[in-house]
Amino acid sequence: MVVGLIIACEVAFWVLLAAGLAFRYGLRMPRTGLALLLCEPLLELVLFAVTAIDLRNGAEPDWRHGLAAVYIGFTVGLGHSTIKWADARVAHRFAGGPPPVRPPKYGTARAVHEWKVAGRWILAAVVAMVLLQAAVWYVGDGRIESLRAWQQRMLWVIGINVIIAGSYTLFPKEKR
């Protein structure tokens, strides 16, 4: 049930995003479009509640519950930037907006950009780890190995992003 809900939340995220942008730019109803975009966080609240209820009802914590926490974390960390990215492109393509800003290619500006991207990924991983830890405490003495495994994966996500951003800081690409 939890995996199906995660898939439904992901599909609903993109449907709400497309509908929100369609109302905002295609139908020239910016308030309705904004209202649809503001519904996005409700998806995560529903997933959180269903996952908590599933655990409360005695479900053995497994990879599905961990995946739900990771999905929520990644939506918190990356959802806003994804919406902004899509909004800029749709505004440019269909509403005469300015061209989307491209990330810098060289030097310190590129390193700063990469640290901002890493920050979003790190936020996503930290939120996921906090939710996973809350689930561990919520379950108590149950079988929590799968939740701990997800926490370790989130540490890898953090480490990889720090390495990538750090490489742009230590070895900046120079304009030729």
Side-chain angles (χ1 to χ4, degrees):
M1 175 174 84
V2 174
V3 173
L5 185 58
I6 293 169
I7 293 168
C9 284
E10 181 65 13
V11 170
F13 174 87
W14 292 104
V15 168
L16 280 173
L17 179 59
L21 295 175
F23 273 92
R24 191 170 184 169
Y25 297 111
L27 300 174
R28 306 269 189 242
M29 299 172 70
R31 286 186 185 173
T32 304
L34 179 61
L36 288 168
L37 293 174
L38 290 174
C39 288
E40 299 278 1
L42 296 176
L43 300 172
E44 282 64 49
L45 290 175
V46 169
L47 179 59
F48 179 77
V50 168
T51 303
I53 290 168
D54 192 41
L55 289 171
R56 188 190 71 211
N57 288 339
E60 198 67 34
D62 61 12
W63 66 271
R64 294 174 204 101
H65 300 99
L67 182 62
V70 169
Y71 177 81
I72 293 169
F74 278 44
T75 303
V76 168
L78 303 170
H80 180 71
S81 61
T82 302
I83 292 169
K84 280 180 56 176
W85 177 87
D87 185 56
R89 276 140 187 83
V90 171
H92 173 65
R93 179 86 167 100
F94 298 107
V101 177
R102 293 184 176 267
K105 292 184 180 181
Y106 307 105
T108 305
R110 180 59 187 230
V112 168
H113 169 76
E114 290 299 328
W115 279 108
K116 287 179 182 177
V117 171
R120 288 190 291 270
W121 281 91
I122 291 168
L123 173 63
V126 167
V127 169
M129 289 174 66
V130 167
L131 290 173
L132 289 162
Q133 187 59 44
V136 166
W137 289 333
Y138 188 63
V139 170
D141 294 331
R143 299 178 48 85
I144 57 171
E145 297 84 23
S146 64
L147 301 176
R148 293 286 186 212
W150 278 108
Q151 285 180 318
Q152 290 174 346
R153 289 180 190 115
M154 294 303 97
L155 289 174
W156 277 98
V157 168
I158 291 169
I160 289 168
N161 279 280
V162 167
I163 289 170
I164 291 170
S167 70
Y168 280 93
T169 302
L170 297 174
F171 309 106
K173 187 176 178 183
E174 298 296 327
K175 191 172 184 178
R176 294 181 185 190

